[in-house]
Amino acid sequence: MMSTTETFTAYASLKVGEKLKQWEYEPKPLSANDIEIQVTHNGLCHTDIHMRDNDWEVSSFPLVAGHEVVGNVTQVGADVTSLKIGDRVGFGWIRNSCRVCDACLRGEENVCRKGYTGLIVGNHGGFADKLRAPADFAYKIPDGLDSASAAPLLCAGITVYTPLRTYVKYPGTKVGVIGIGGLGHLAIKFARAMGAEVTAFSTSPDKEAEAKEFGAHHFCNWKSEEEIAAASSSVDLLLSTVSSEVDWDKAFGLLAKNGVFCLLGLPVSTLNIPLLPLVFEQKAVAGSVVGGRSFMTEMLEFAAVHQIKPMIETMPISQINEAIDKVLANKARYRIVLTAE
């Protein structure tokens, strides 16, 4: 008798640090509040690699990563009313939350009091032909965004949009962006569209022209003492998008009074805060992690209206290991999007 068991085909890490292999698994039943999508695009985020290598000790194997996922709805649960078959939607890092705490009720599920559920923590993500997840955390992709451009916005885009939306409170706010990479180039684009005066800080002087094409008004070589001195005490909001160690004294020296230094990347060392400027110049240190449903929906609409799209290169998902190697070699410019075959 022929088996009727449904299986999804995925690219999975079967063991810690192992290259991804094609793997079939039986999905969980579609609940009344879930949808199923046929996956068409996956942004490749460095977090997927961290999960493959279990760097944060939260991974479970076999692991199907992928949390910048775009596809078309193929099934809807019995209680789903917000979406229909054929809709083009995306999923980001957050899969679910408690829904009832004060943060969730404000649309800030990223700081859910009870802790949100990650899409690929204890679940299978988007590196597959299909994906099932709660409909309430699926986002309709606006018509003005193509699917390949939309995918990285679901993690990289919301990661930079949330602090900009929080701290850019008036036109002409002086925003500095450390690092012109997957996060940084989008931060420049969003900040410019919000009416900020943007300075790009990079250790790579050859990125100046590109940074200005993204929308930066100014470029500052992080290694130049003269250029850093000229920018001293001038930045209202400084976003650090890099994962490497930052010279904290240099960063704090860039902040104007009441300036905010916001960390998006995770440095390898502990944070040494210079207390005198923190207190006497009312400077602040903040962190930010992805964003809740309110900002996610707003960000996608904002990106569509202002045509804010990441710089991407596409590769078929069958070349996912080659794509990962390219990211690790720092040769991706600036996000790789994996396409279904």
Side-chain angles (χ1 to χ4, degrees):
M1 186 174 178
M2 183 178 293
S3 172
T4 59
T5 301
E6 184 177 14
T7 59
F8 289 177
T9 301
Y11 284 86
S13 301
L14 304 182
K15 296 179 181 178
V16 176
E18 189 175 76
K19 285 187 177 294
L20 278 62
K21 298 177 181 177
Q22 203 166 54
W23 178 67
E24 290 191 353
Y25 72 94
E26 183 178 341
K28 297 176 182 177
L30 190 78
S31 80
N33 297 307
D34 285 349
I35 63 169
E36 177 185 286
I37 67 170
Q38 183 79 38
V39 177
T40 61
H41 295 80
N42 273 283
L44 177 59
C45 178
H46 208 290
T47 296
D48 295 312
I49 304 172
H50 285 304
M51 290 294 290
R52 181 199 69 173
D53 297 340
N54 198 23
D55 289 334
W56 301 328
E57 298 184 351
V58 296
S59 304
S60 56
F61 297 86
L63 171 74
V64 180
H67 63 280
E68 297 178 344
V69 194
V70 176
N72 300 304
V73 177
T74 53
Q75 290 191 64
V76 296
D79 293 341
V80 175
T81 59
S82 58
L83 297 168
K84 64 182 185 302
I85 291 174
D87 282 346
R88 187 170 60 115
V89 302
F91 283 99
W93 177 252
I94 300 177
R95 182 180 186 274
N96 212 336
S97 69
C98 82
R99 318 284 189 99
V100 295
C101 72
D102 57 336
C104 286
L105 292 176
R106 290 194 303 267
E108 298 176 357
E109 292 83 2
N110 56 318
V111 287
C112 172
R113 301 293 184 187
K114 297 182 180 180
Y116 59 76
T117 301
L119 185 69
I120 59 176
V121 179
N123 302 282
H124 293 318
F127 292 162
D129 58 348
K130 293 182 180 180
L131 170 67
R132 289 178 180 173
D136 287 349
F137 285 81
Y139 304 92
K140 285 188 178 181
I141 305 299
D143 291 339
L145 288 175
D146 63 281
S147 296
S149 297
L153 296 179
L154 296 162
C155 181
I158 189 62
T159 295
V160 299
Y161 184 86
T162 296
L164 288 168
R165 180 67 169 75
T166 301
Y167 297 112
V168 175
K169 297 180 178 179
Y170 52 85
T173 297
K174 292 179 173 57
V175 173
V177 179
I178 301 175
I180 315 304
L183 294 178
H185 85 291
L186 280 170
I188 291 170
K189 291 188 174 193
F190 276 116
R192 177 69 182 243
M194 290 180 182
E197 181 179 339
V198 187
T199 300
F201 294 90
S202 176
T203 58
S204 303
D206 59 348
K207 289 187 176 181
E208 179 174 0
E210 200 168 50
K212 290 183 176 179
E213 286 179 9
F214 294 143
H217 297 86
H218 316 288
F219 182 89
C220 186
N221 182 353
W222 189 257
K223 295 179 179 179
S224 169
E225 293 183 7
E226 291 182 0
E227 293 184 28
I228 293 295
S232 175
S233 303
S234 67
V235 179
D236 300 311
L237 172 63
L238 184 61
L239 298 182
S240 176
T241 69
V242 298
S243 58
S244 55
E245 185 174 356
V246 173
D247 185 327
W248 308 118
D249 287 329
K250 184 185 292 188
F252 267 82
L254 294 170
L255 290 179
K257 292 180 180 179
N258 285 326
V260 177
F261 180 35
C262 186
L263 293 161
L264 306 181
L266 296 175
V268 296
S269 68
T270 56
L271 176 62
N272 295 311
I273 302 174
L275 291 178
L276 286 179
L278 186 78
V279 174
F280 287 99
E281 298 180 10
Q282 294 190 173
K283 298 179 180 181
V285 182
S288 186
V289 59
V290 289
R293 288 186 290 175
S294 177
F295 277 177
M296 180 75 93
T297 302
E298 181 181 295
M299 179 273 298
L300 290 170
E301 293 292 344
F302 189 91
V305 169
H306 292 276
Q307 284 298 285
I308 296 173
K309 299 180 179 181
M311 176 181 282
I312 62 171
E313 53 181 309
T314 59
M315 296 176 68
I317 196 167
S318 60
Q319 295 180 15
I320 190 168
N321 289 308
E322 292 88 339
I324 289 172
D325 290 343
K326 194 167 187 176
V327 171
L328 290 173
N330 198 29
K331 293 182 178 179
R333 292 293 181 270
Y334 280 101
R335 300 290 283 197
I336 294 176
V337 176
L338 302 164
T339 58
E341 297 172 284

